Amino acid sequence: MNEHDSERLAGVLEQDGLVAAAGLDDADVVVLNTCCIRENADNKLYGTLGHLKSVKDRRPGMQIAVGGCLAQKDRDGIRGRAPWVDAVWGTHNVDRAAGLLREAAVAGPLTEIAEEAAADPDAFGSSFGARREQAWSAWVTIQVGCDNACAFCIVPSVRGREVSRPFAKVVGEVEALVAEGTVEVTLLGQNVNSYGRDLTTNLRNEPRWRERSEITGSAWAAGERPRARPLFADLLRAVAGVEGLRRVRYTSPHPKDLRAETVAAMAEEPAVCEQLHLPLQAGSDRVLTEMRRGYTAGRYLEKLALARAGIADLAVTTDLIVGFPGETDADFAQTLEVVAEASYDSAYTFIYSPRQGTAAASDPSRFVAPGVIAERFERLKVVVEHSALAAHRQRVGRLEEVLVEGPSKRDPAMTTGRTRQGKLVHFPSPPKVAPAGAFADVVVTRAAPHFLVGELVEITTAPRHRTRIPVAAI
Ligand code: SF4
């Protein structure tokens, strides 16, 4: 979400006439788009601002801005600690970035923080004009904010209540992207499978919205079993049906809200990839209750079994927190058991990071000792890598459809791409033979816990996207 906000920010600034600088020494404007999900980001922000002060002292005309979650959380505190910052804006003010920089240039330093995403369906959350890093693959926001209250999570307090983008706006944006050559989209939201819940409430309360089927779509109301609101599955099917789109992914769903309709849409829509990111967080029911996650380990495994039974060749990934306050050895042992049973293709493992204002951070006496966390973290990594390697070994010898991303970062002689399951594949090929955005058939020859290695068989589809040429280069 934060990375896509950066793309939206870059798009807003480019539309205002700014051009991306080659580096800090060439920049007239520096924007730090922050994330506060983990404590480290706080420390990094103020360290970076300290460095930027010395740059600005040499070049007083330079503007410095801070946006994103940390700005939403710390507000005027940022300019209090770093008075050389020119503009501070929140998570809901991205569209105002260029205007705020202009206003700050005239009137002096300012802060603008909106508490909530604009509730007006015409105003909220467009990613149109975003300066996307990859023209062939795009994130599309379908929802911002979160109505859950997980005890470790700061997101609800910095991103606000859940707000879904109107159905037709999401589909329209995907159609526009595909017309420009995008072949893969990832639908983004804090809790994607609750998409649409707020739209129905708004329709009930706002008479002027009632006639507007573009807000909620209409296919959901016309089926054999018409419903009062669109589900995430309805949106998934509508997006997957956009002609020319080859791959649809989404992140992140909440296990408690994963419905059979979503599994059916994934199984039946050819464009929806066989990839499910289902955050477990912990395997102990006691810890899950304290985390306020709304499911038990058993219920989670049932949902996972439903998804695996419905979707052939499904890759499953997860998020796990080690050292949640009060986590005992017995709790952690249950996490290891559930992780082993779930047989993940990979997992994002995090050391618990206390965030001020969250329920879990209120009692430091329950924090787990760093040495204990470090030891548990290593044990968890071993279990995850074991199942990841086993899943990857099963793919050796198979022909995979790979969407090419470009030369490998580590070895430019290798090209990198992703399979439909989201797995990274490296294969030898000069970039001109397998250009970014092309589809290639690759035979997998070797497996590692975090990637696959293969041999290029053939390019099956040439890139369709247009290449952006910077105006300054003409
Ligand atoms: Fe945070 Fe929980 Fe909402 Fe995810 S579902 S954003 S972890 S509060």
Short mmCIF file of all heavy atoms in Angstrom, two decimals, residues 99-125:
data_model
loop_
_atom_site.label_atom_id
_atom_site.label_comp_id
_atom_site.label_asym_id
_atom_site.label_seq_id
_atom_site.Cartn_x
_atom_site.Cartn_y
_atom_site.Cartn_z
N GLY A 99 0.04 20.75 -4.64
CA GLY A 99 -0.53 22.01 -4.16
C GLY A 99 0.10 22.43 -2.84
O GLY A 99 0.41 23.61 -2.63
N LEU A 100 0.31 21.45 -1.96
CA LEU A 100 0.88 21.79 -0.65
C LEU A 100 2.33 22.27 -0.78
O LEU A 100 2.75 23.19 -0.08
CB LEU A 100 0.81 20.57 0.28
CG LEU A 100 -0.61 20.18 0.71
CD1 LEU A 100 -0.61 18.86 1.48
CD2 LEU A 100 -1.23 21.28 1.57
N LEU A 101 3.07 21.66 -1.70
CA LEU A 101 4.45 22.12 -1.91
C LEU A 101 4.47 23.56 -2.43
O LEU A 101 5.29 24.38 -2.01
CB LEU A 101 5.17 21.19 -2.91
CG LEU A 101 5.63 19.84 -2.33
CD1 LEU A 101 6.05 18.89 -3.45
CD2 LEU A 101 6.80 20.05 -1.36
N ARG A 102 3.54 23.86 -3.32
CA ARG A 102 3.46 25.24 -3.85
C ARG A 102 3.09 26.22 -2.74
O ARG A 102 3.67 27.30 -2.62
CB ARG A 102 2.41 25.33 -4.96
CG ARG A 102 2.88 24.74 -6.28
CD ARG A 102 1.76 24.81 -7.30
NE ARG A 102 2.16 24.16 -8.53
CZ ARG A 102 2.86 24.76 -9.48
NH1 ARG A 102 3.21 26.02 -9.34
NH2 ARG A 102 3.20 24.09 -10.57
N GLU A 103 2.07 25.83 -1.94
CA GLU A 103 1.63 26.72 -0.85
C GLU A 103 2.76 26.94 0.14
O GLU A 103 2.97 28.06 0.62
CB GLU A 103 0.41 26.11 -0.13
CG GLU A 103 -0.88 26.23 -0.93
CD GLU A 103 -2.01 25.37 -0.35
OE1 GLU A 103 -2.05 25.20 0.88
OE2 GLU A 103 -2.83 24.88 -1.16
N ALA A 104 3.51 25.87 0.44
CA ALA A 104 4.61 25.99 1.41
C ALA A 104 5.71 26.91 0.88
O ALA A 104 6.35 27.64 1.64
CB ALA A 104 5.18 24.61 1.72
N ALA A 105 5.90 26.89 -0.47
CA ALA A 105 6.94 27.75 -1.05
C ALA A 105 6.60 29.22 -0.85
O ALA A 105 7.49 30.07 -0.71
CB ALA A 105 7.08 27.43 -2.55
N VAL A 106 5.31 29.54 -0.81
CA VAL A 106 4.88 30.94 -0.67
C VAL A 106 4.68 31.30 0.80
O VAL A 106 5.19 32.30 1.30
CB VAL A 106 3.55 31.17 -1.45
CG1 VAL A 106 3.06 32.59 -1.25
CG2 VAL A 106 3.75 30.86 -2.93
N ALA A 107 3.93 30.42 1.51
CA ALA A 107 3.48 30.80 2.86
C ALA A 107 4.36 30.25 3.97
O ALA A 107 4.16 30.58 5.14
CB ALA A 107 2.04 30.32 3.05
N GLY A 108 5.31 29.39 3.65
CA GLY A 108 6.15 28.79 4.70
C GLY A 108 5.62 27.43 5.11
O GLY A 108 4.59 26.97 4.62
N PRO A 109 6.34 26.76 6.03
CA PRO A 109 6.04 25.37 6.39
C PRO A 109 4.59 25.15 6.80
O PRO A 109 3.98 26.01 7.43
CB PRO A 109 6.97 25.11 7.59
CG PRO A 109 8.08 26.06 7.40
CD PRO A 109 7.50 27.28 6.76
N LEU A 110 4.03 24.01 6.40
CA LEU A 110 2.63 23.70 6.72
C LEU A 110 2.43 22.20 6.94
O LEU A 110 3.24 21.37 6.50
CB LEU A 110 1.69 24.22 5.62
CG LEU A 110 1.98 23.80 4.18
CD1 LEU A 110 1.45 22.42 3.90
CD2 LEU A 110 1.36 24.80 3.23
N THR A 111 1.33 21.87 7.61
CA THR A 111 0.94 20.48 7.85
C THR A 111 -0.51 20.32 7.45
O THR A 111 -1.34 21.17 7.80
CB THR A 111 1.08 20.13 9.35
OG1 THR A 111 2.44 20.31 9.75
CG2 THR A 111 0.67 18.69 9.63
N GLU A 112 -0.82 19.27 6.68
CA GLU A 112 -2.23 19.01 6.34
C GLU A 112 -2.50 17.52 6.51
O GLU A 112 -1.92 16.69 5.81
CB GLU A 112 -2.56 19.45 4.91
CG GLU A 112 -4.06 19.33 4.62
CD GLU A 112 -4.44 19.94 3.26
OE1 GLU A 112 -4.32 21.16 3.08
OE2 GLU A 112 -4.85 19.17 2.38
N ILE A 113 -3.37 17.20 7.45
CA ILE A 113 -3.69 15.79 7.73
C ILE A 113 -5.21 15.62 7.70
O ILE A 113 -5.91 16.21 8.52
CB ILE A 113 -3.20 15.37 9.14
CG1 ILE A 113 -1.73 15.73 9.38
CG2 ILE A 113 -3.50 13.89 9.39
CD1 ILE A 113 -0.72 14.80 8.78
N ALA A 114 -5.72 14.85 6.74
CA ALA A 114 -7.15 14.51 6.76
C ALA A 114 -7.33 13.27 7.62
O ALA A 114 -6.49 12.36 7.59
CB ALA A 114 -7.65 14.25 5.34
N GLU A 115 -8.38 13.25 8.43
CA GLU A 115 -8.58 12.12 9.35
C GLU A 115 -9.06 10.86 8.64
O GLU A 115 -8.77 9.75 9.04
CB GLU A 115 -9.60 12.49 10.44
CG GLU A 115 -9.13 13.58 11.37
CD GLU A 115 -7.84 13.23 12.10
OE1 GLU A 115 -7.58 12.05 12.32
OE2 GLU A 115 -7.08 14.17 12.41
N GLU A 116 -9.86 11.03 7.59
CA GLU A 116 -10.47 9.88 6.91
C GLU A 116 -10.30 10.05 5.41
O GLU A 116 -10.17 11.17 4.91
CB GLU A 116 -11.97 9.82 7.21
CG GLU A 116 -12.31 9.53 8.66
CD GLU A 116 -12.14 8.06 9.02
OE1 GLU A 116 -12.23 7.21 8.12
OE2 GLU A 116 -11.90 7.77 10.20
N ALA A 117 -10.39 8.92 4.68
CA ALA A 117 -10.46 9.00 3.22
C ALA A 117 -11.75 9.71 2.85
O ALA A 117 -12.75 9.60 3.58
CB ALA A 117 -10.45 7.60 2.63
N ALA A 118 -11.73 10.45 1.76
CA ALA A 118 -12.95 11.14 1.33
C ALA A 118 -14.05 10.12 1.11
O ALA A 118 -13.85 9.11 0.43
CB ALA A 118 -12.66 11.89 0.03
N ALA A 119 -15.20 10.35 1.73
CA ALA A 119 -16.30 9.39 1.59
C ALA A 119 -17.01 9.54 0.26
O ALA A 119 -17.73 8.63 -0.16
CB ALA A 119 -17.29 9.57 2.74
N ASP A 120 -16.81 10.66 -0.40
CA ASP A 120 -17.48 10.89 -1.69
C ASP A 120 -16.90 9.93 -2.73
O ASP A 120 -15.69 9.90 -2.96
CB ASP A 120 -17.24 12.34 -2.12
CG ASP A 120 -18.00 12.67 -3.40
OD1 ASP A 120 -18.25 11.74 -4.19
OD2 ASP A 120 -18.35 13.84 -3.59
N PRO A 121 -17.75 9.11 -3.35
CA PRO A 121 -17.23 8.10 -4.27
C PRO A 121 -16.51 8.70 -5.47
O PRO A 121 -15.70 8.04 -6.11
CB PRO A 121 -18.49 7.35 -4.72
CG PRO A 121 -19.62 8.26 -4.44
CD PRO A 121 -19.22 9.09 -3.25
N ASP A 122 -16.79 9.94 -5.79
CA ASP A 122 -16.11 10.55 -6.93
C ASP A 122 -14.71 11.05 -6.58
O ASP A 122 -13.89 11.28 -7.44
CB ASP A 122 -16.94 11.71 -7.49
CG ASP A 122 -18.22 11.19 -8.13
OD1 ASP A 122 -18.16 10.11 -8.74
OD2 ASP A 122 -19.26 11.84 -7.97
N ALA A 123 -14.50 11.24 -5.28
CA ALA A 123 -13.24 11.88 -4.89
C ALA A 123 -12.19 10.89 -4.42
O ALA A 123 -11.01 11.16 -4.48
CB ALA A 123 -13.52 12.89 -3.76
N PHE A 124 -12.61 9.72 -3.97
CA PHE A 124 -11.70 8.88 -3.20
C PHE A 124 -10.79 7.97 -4.03
O PHE A 124 -11.22 7.31 -4.96
CB PHE A 124 -12.53 8.03 -2.23
CG PHE A 124 -11.84 6.78 -1.82
CD1 PHE A 124 -10.69 6.86 -1.09
CD2 PHE A 124 -12.33 5.55 -2.18
CE1 PHE A 124 -10.02 5.71 -0.72
CE2 PHE A 124 -11.67 4.40 -1.82
CZ PHE A 124 -10.52 4.48 -1.09
N GLY A 125 -9.52 8.01 -3.64
CA GLY A 125 -8.57 6.93 -3.87
C GLY A 125 -8.17 6.58 -5.30
O GLY A 125 -7.73 5.48 -5.55
#
